[in-house]
Amino acid sequence: MKFTVKILLICLSFLSMSCRQQAERKVTITFWAMGAEGETVQKLVPAFENLNPGIHVKIQMIPWTTAQEKLITAYASGNTPDGCQLGNTWVPQFEALNSLENLDKWIKSSNVIQKDKYFPGIWDTNVLRGSTFGIPWYIDTRLLFYRTDILALAGYKNPPKTWAELYDVSKKIKALAGESGRFAIYLPTSNEWAPFIIFGLQNGSDILKDNGRYGDFSNIKFREAFEYLIKFHKEGLSPVGISQVTNVYQAFRDGYFAMYISGPWNIREFEKWMTGPLKDKWMTAALPSPTGNKPGLSLAGGSSLVIFKESPHKKEVWKFFEYLSSTQVQLRFYKEINDLPALKEAWHDSSITGNKYMKAFFIQFQNVVATPKVPEWEEIVFSKVQQYAELAARNVMPESQALKALDHDVDNILEKRRWLLSR
Amino acid sequence: MAPEQVRSRKYTVDKKKHEAKEKAGSRDLHSKAPFSVKIPAAYLFLAPAMLAIAVFFFIPVAAAFIISFTDFDIYALSSFSNLRFIALKNYLRIFNDPLFYRALKNTFYFVIGAGPLSIAVSLGAAMLLNSPMVRLKGLFRLFYFIPVVTTLVAVAVVWRFIYHPRFGILNYLLGFLSVNPIDWLGDPDWAMPAIILMAVWKNFGYNMIIFIAGLQNIPEYLYEAAVLEGAGWWHRFKSITLPMLAPTTIFVGIITMIGYFQLFAEPYVMTQGGPLNRTLSIVQYMYEEGFRWWNMGYSAALAFVLFFIIFAAALLQLRFQKDVE
């Protein structure tokens, strides 16, 4: 009896040794992911590791709010992960840091990740000076969420297709609301820049000029769009300031406003709040355009997958990215956390075609553009566009003066860029 | 007995102790060998601490000072060849920056508004809690101190509801006085007073504890003597409590002022500096320039300007204290 136990123990120890040997041959890659994606991607790792026994993926979850700070700190201290999820407007910033791997040659030799499988506008956000630095992972854009019942009361069976219609329906909704203090549309100024940039782009503005050397906000194209949106605030069609709307979803349910320009992350929330008799009283629509020939432009948003230059395991990371870029995995993300797939093919799956709110997104994604690809972009929109939009909306500054000041501030922000480009 | 007498008596006791210490010290020195290099033992004991202070305090401050003369930003992080030495340009930019003046104005508004109010409230609370008529003193002290130790974010969530223009309890209560609802945090004119109110509520407990300690140091016989002389409540407060509390008040005043000049968390979580930048403080501006937009050079320059403002204000207060004495 004792003898057999001894034999068994010896066998076991040999077994564990051989296991360890195998483990040592494994390559460990670290992948940073933010928010809900981090949790979901964690669940997908075992399946990937089964397919690729030589690779171990370590997922590091970081909160969205501090993600950029953490990444830049990691870069400054030379501790960048192998791969990362990066908001696609951040790609220019990290490219400017010279920290991202040029993915051109990886894409060329890949059977899985190919440019024409993606929406062109989204793909383009990762292209800088002709080279690709990121692969779209999941995508988003902004479009119109609206209350069908309130628009019907105002005489609109269909959502507004042009700027003129949007203004007209807003006037009618406000007239219906009368003294109740309700509004037609929510266009926040101090914490939202997207509508201003979107409408500017729709009107043909380039936002910045001279290859991103100067602001181009005083240009008539942007000014028209800006004045158009500010009109909604000045005429009381949209609430001014954010404090009046503590909870957007509750306000939408209460009919405090009837339209809201926002992104796909709202769908689940609206489904949660719009219950009972309100269940079918809301819809999504592609954005209106200045003239109405086709849906208006919107922003190409979402997250990209990037490889850091310092990574010693680029091949393994690329394998992981190919895995994440398969239709099945992308659909799994959609089902679990409503992340919209970047692959066009996934959009033909019944789980997406069966969702009536997705139709407008599919239409909108055909018509999205990247915001100007300068590293200073976030500073420009978050600290300056919002600030001057608010000053104009609250009637503290006339629109033309606000735009002039905006150009002045943006030119100051871009001074370093001009100096670098002139060297 | 007048307060001065009390103080001088205390001083003579301290002086005697001090002399005794000095004697003991000198005896030690004489016992040493005549030719050895004299490094007073005190420096050896201080060295580790001084080293730590040098590494973790002086070097970073010096580095920040140097950075404030450069345009250190995200580009410089990628390569030092992208770093320019721009001398005083950051400082010149500050003095031409309307947003800096906005932030400066807001910060002064907060310091001047919330500072004295905060001290008055904490002194009042301390006197109430020190009164012999109050029972369950410990419990009340705890109650008043709770806001100080509560996380600001939790407090902010609650206060955002209190201030809510449509559903807030504050507007509801004001409704009984037939005051029209005020958009506390959304109205540019009301946002700062709303922040001040919250900050005073949140912070007064801390100063109150210090004041209670100060009040308990006032000898009871002073009040007994005053009562015998027929002094009323106000007279006792003016002639005994206030002068005896003068050192405590100065201390509390400076600490509060320095703290309030560094206003950050309250507006950061309640209003993000808005509406119309009317609650943007210097520290928040500095934080955003530095850690959100990575304009480290400009941010460092802002930090030094703020340092000099606080330094000047503290000097002013100390001078004021001397004048009072």
Side-chain angles (χ1 to χ4, degrees):
Chain A
M1 185 68 189
K2 262 184 182 168
F3 186 68
T4 41
V5 170
K6 260 184 193 165
I7 294 278
L8 220 84
L9 274 176
I10 289 169
C11 284
L12 268 175
S13 66
F14 267 113
L15 209 76
S16 71
M17 262 166 75
S18 67
C19 274
R20 200 177 305 144
Q21 265 176 350
Q22 210 171 23
E24 269 161 16
R25 263 186 273 124
K26 263 192 183 179
V27 170
T28 302
I29 55 171
T30 48
F31 180 76
W32 284 12
M34 293 83 152
E37 285 78 33
E39 278 174 46
T40 315
V41 83
Q42 190 111 51
K43 292 185 209 157
L44 296 169
V45 166
F48 172 73
E49 285 178 345
N50 280 344
L51 288 171
N52 301 277
I55 306 174
H56 173 62
V57 184
K58 216 171 109 190
I59 305 288
Q60 186 91 46
M61 275 181 266
I62 48 177
W64 264 116
T65 43
T66 56
Q68 199 179 14
E69 256 175 74
K70 286 222 158 75
L71 276 165
I72 291 187
T73 318
Y75 170 77
S77 60
N79 288 316
T80 44
D82 294 303
C84 181
Q85 162 194 3
L86 208 59
N88 59 6
T89 49
W90 296 358
V91 173
Q93 202 170 44
F94 285 89
E95 198 276 326
L97 284 174
N98 199 18
S99 66
L100 299 183
E101 169 81 354
N102 183 339
L103 299 178
D104 283 342
K105 68 168 195 256
W106 298 95
I107 296 163
K108 216 183 242 170
S109 58
S110 173
N111 305 318
V112 183
I113 297 172
Q114 282 156 359
K115 187 181 168 185
D116 51 346
K117 289 188 180 173
Y118 294 85
F119 294 99
I122 305 274
W123 182 274
D124 180 55
T125 59
N126 300 300
V127 180
L128 293 152
R129 296 189 312 274
S131 297
T132 311
F133 290 91
I135 305 298
W137 187 19
Y138 66 87
I139 57 178
D140 67 50
T141 187
R142 317 255 171 159
L143 43 59
L144 190 67
F145 290 79
Y146 68 100
R147 286 282 295 263
T148 48
D149 53 341
I150 298 177
L151 259 70
L153 280 177
Y156 272 76
K157 280 211 172 60
N158 295 309
K161 283 204 165 53
T162 62
W163 287 14
E165 279 183 19
L166 181 65
Y167 178 62
D168 180 64
V169 72
S170 298
K171 282 282 230 196
K172 285 181 176 149
I173 290 169
K174 187 69 189 174
L176 280 175
E179 293 298 303
S180 69
R182 294 174 175 203
F183 297 93
I185 183 168
Y186 184 38
L187 296 165
T189 51
S190 60
N191 67 338
E192 269 275 334
W193 51 268
F196 295 92
I197 298 298
I198 290 171
F199 279 69
L201 288 167
Q202 285 192 353
N203 209 33
S205 165
D206 293 328
I207 312 293
L208 304 178
K209 62 186 173 189
D210 271 358
N211 185 20
R213 281 179 174 84
Y214 295 94
D216 197 20
F217 294 99
S218 297
N219 191 314
I220 178 81
K221 287 175 181 162
F222 189 85
R223 205 177 72 218
E224 275 175 7
F226 191 74
E227 284 169 349
Y228 171 76
L229 287 178
I230 295 298
K231 195 164 67 177
F232 284 85
H233 292 102
K234 287 195 170 166
E235 297 182 9
L237 307 174
S238 173
V240 180
I242 47 167
S243 68
Q244 285 174 298
V245 184
T246 326
N247 184 331
V248 178
Y249 309 109
Q250 192 183 352
F252 192 70
R253 185 191 66 190
D254 297 347
Y256 188 63
F257 55 77
M259 294 178 280
Y260 182 37
I261 295 173
S262 194
W265 53 88
N266 288 303
I267 290 183
R268 288 230 167 148
E269 288 295 326
F270 280 143
E271 278 173 344
K272 222 184 285 169
W273 286 82
M274 300 290 283
T275 49
L278 291 174
K279 194 168 179 288
D280 292 317
K281 298 288 190 284
W282 65 285
M283 206 44 208
T284 54
L287 286 178
S289 64
T291 51
N293 302 331
K294 57 174 189 171
L297 280 176
S298 191
L299 298 180
S303 272
S304 298
L305 298 167
V306 298
I307 303 181
F308 281 95
K309 249 189 189 157
E310 299 291 316
S311 164
H313 308 299
K314 290 179 185 129
K315 209 174 82 193
E316 288 78 8
V317 181
W318 183 256
K319 259 215 176 111
F320 185 53
F321 284 3
E322 287 187 327
Y323 170 74
L324 292 178
S325 303
S326 73
T327 315
Q328 290 86 346
V329 172
Q330 294 239 317
L331 281 169
R332 180 132 183 231
F333 264 88
Y334 168 71
K335 282 170 197 157
E336 292 221 359
I337 45 173
N338 231 25
D339 274 353
L340 305 187
L343 287 170
K344 277 194 277 189
E345 196 191 309
W347 283 79
H348 300 300
D349 189 84
S350 60
S351 62
I352 295 187
T353 51
N355 183 335
K356 59 181 174 178
Y357 303 116
M358 284 300 144
K359 206 177 146 198
F361 278 100
F362 188 68
I363 296 168
Q364 190 71 72
F365 276 125
Q366 320 276 346
N367 205 15
V368 290
V369 284
T371 51
K373 288 175 251 178
V374 296
E376 295 88 350
W377 177 249
E378 299 242 319
E379 180 177 359
I380 290 171
V381 284
F382 278 105
S383 79
K384 296 303 172 190
V385 172
Q386 288 180 179
Q387 180 192 342
Y388 287 106
E390 194 188 13
L391 284 166
R394 285 183 185 264
N395 225 347
V396 180
M397 240 186 218
E399 285 95 323
S400 57
Q401 196 192 330
L403 291 176
K404 219 181 217 164
L406 177 57
D407 268 335
H408 175 80
D409 285 4
V410 170
D411 288 352
N412 273 340
I413 291 172
L414 291 170
E415 190 273 334
K416 185 80 177 257
R417 180 178 164 80
R418 289 198 294 276
W419 176 71
L420 286 170
L421 287 176
S422 70
R423 278 205 301 182
Chain B
M1 203 190 296
E4 284 87 273
Q5 276 176 303
V6 178
R7 208 177 292 153
S8 63
R9 201 176 58 179
K10 217 174 166 188
Y11 173 68
T12 46
V13 173
D14 282 351
K15 208 175 167 187
K16 268 181 196 159
K17 264 191 198 162
H18 188 66
E19 279 168 358
K21 259 191 199 164
E22 258 185 0
K23 258 187 195 165
S26 61
R27 212 185 304 134
D28 270 5
L29 279 179
H30 284 296
S31 65
K32 276 198 171 168
F35 296 113
S36 70
V37 183
K38 276 185 195 165
I39 303 174
Y43 288 115
L44 287 175
F45 282 110
L46 283 175
M50 293 306 270
L51 199 73
I53 289 176
V55 171
F56 295 108
F57 183 77
F58 286 108
I59 292 177
V61 168
F65 193 61
I66 294 167
I67 284 175
S68 77
F69 296 105
T70 69
D71 67 346
F72 199 104
D73 60 2
I74 191 155
Y75 292 112
L77 214 55
S78 79
S79 159
F80 268 110
S81 65
N82 293 337
L83 186 72
R84 285 179 294 177
F85 180 77
I86 54 168
L88 287 172
K89 255 192 196 154
N90 278 330
Y91 291 93
L92 292 175
R93 199 181 128 200
I94 288 176
F95 295 112
N96 290 314
D97 182 354
L99 210 52
F100 169 74
Y101 286 108
R102 181 78 256 167
L104 188 68
K105 222 165 143 184
N106 295 338
T107 309
F108 268 99
Y109 184 177
F110 182 78
V111 171
I112 292 166
L117 191 63
S118 172
I119 291 172
V121 171
S122 39
L123 179 58
M127 287 181 54
L128 280 178
L129 286 191
N130 204 41
S131 147
M133 281 176 288
V134 174
R135 283 168 191 282
L136 298 172
K137 277 180 192 171
L139 194 70
F140 279 107
R141 255 181 240 170
L142 180 72
F143 271 154
Y144 291 156
F145 199 70
I146 280 177
V148 180
V149 287
T150 314
T151 323
L152 193 98
V153 178
V155 167
V157 170
V158 174
W159 277 78
R160 276 231 293 268
F161 272 107
I162 294 176
Y163 282 142
H164 196 282
R166 285 192 291 154
F167 317 113
I169 192 168
L170 191 58
N171 277 344
Y172 179 75
L173 293 176
L174 286 174
F176 290 120
L177 306 171
S178 55
V179 175
N180 282 332
I182 296 168
D183 184 2
W184 289 98
L185 296 171
D187 186 316
D189 292 329
W190 280 111
M192 193 49 108
I195 298 268
I196 288 176
L197 192 64
M198 188 195 111
V200 168
W201 171 84
K202 169 108 174 66
N203 297 322
F204 84 91
Y206 183 76
N207 289 340
M208 178 192 77
I209 297 289
I210 301 174
F211 271 128
I212 288 177
L215 284 172
Q216 286 174 347
N217 266 342
I218 303 176
E220 199 51 39
Y221 59 80
L222 293 179
Y223 289 107
E224 284 161 10
V227 170
L228 281 180
E229 306 245 344
W233 177 86
W234 172 244
H235 208 80
R236 271 176 287 160
F237 175 72
K238 205 180 68 179
S239 310
I240 302 173
T241 314
L242 272 189
M244 291 298 287
L245 272 184
T248 316
T249 315
I250 295 286
F251 170 74
V252 164
I254 290 180
I255 291 291
T256 306
M257 185 199 68
I258 291 174
Y260 279 7
F261 263 119
Q262 295 170 33
L263 171 70
F264 172 71
E266 285 89 347
Y268 185 71
V269 284
M270 296 282 279
T271 57
Q272 287 87 48
L276 290 176
N277 292 324
R278 291 287 272 274
T279 55
L280 179 78
S281 69
I282 298 181
V283 177
Q284 195 190 336
Y285 189 37
M286 191 176 90
Y287 165 81
E288 287 191 350
E289 283 292 327
F291 294 104
R292 243 184 121 192
W293 317 126
W294 298 94
N295 298 323
M296 289 293 182
Y298 192 58
S299 183
L302 280 169
F304 279 97
V305 170
L306 178 63
F307 166 74
F308 282 112
I309 291 170
I310 295 177
F311 189 62
L315 278 185
L316 216 70
Q317 213 161 347
L318 284 171
R319 169 66 52 83
F320 178 70
Q321 174 199 17
K322 264 184 198 150
D323 287 353
V324 169
E325 280 183 352

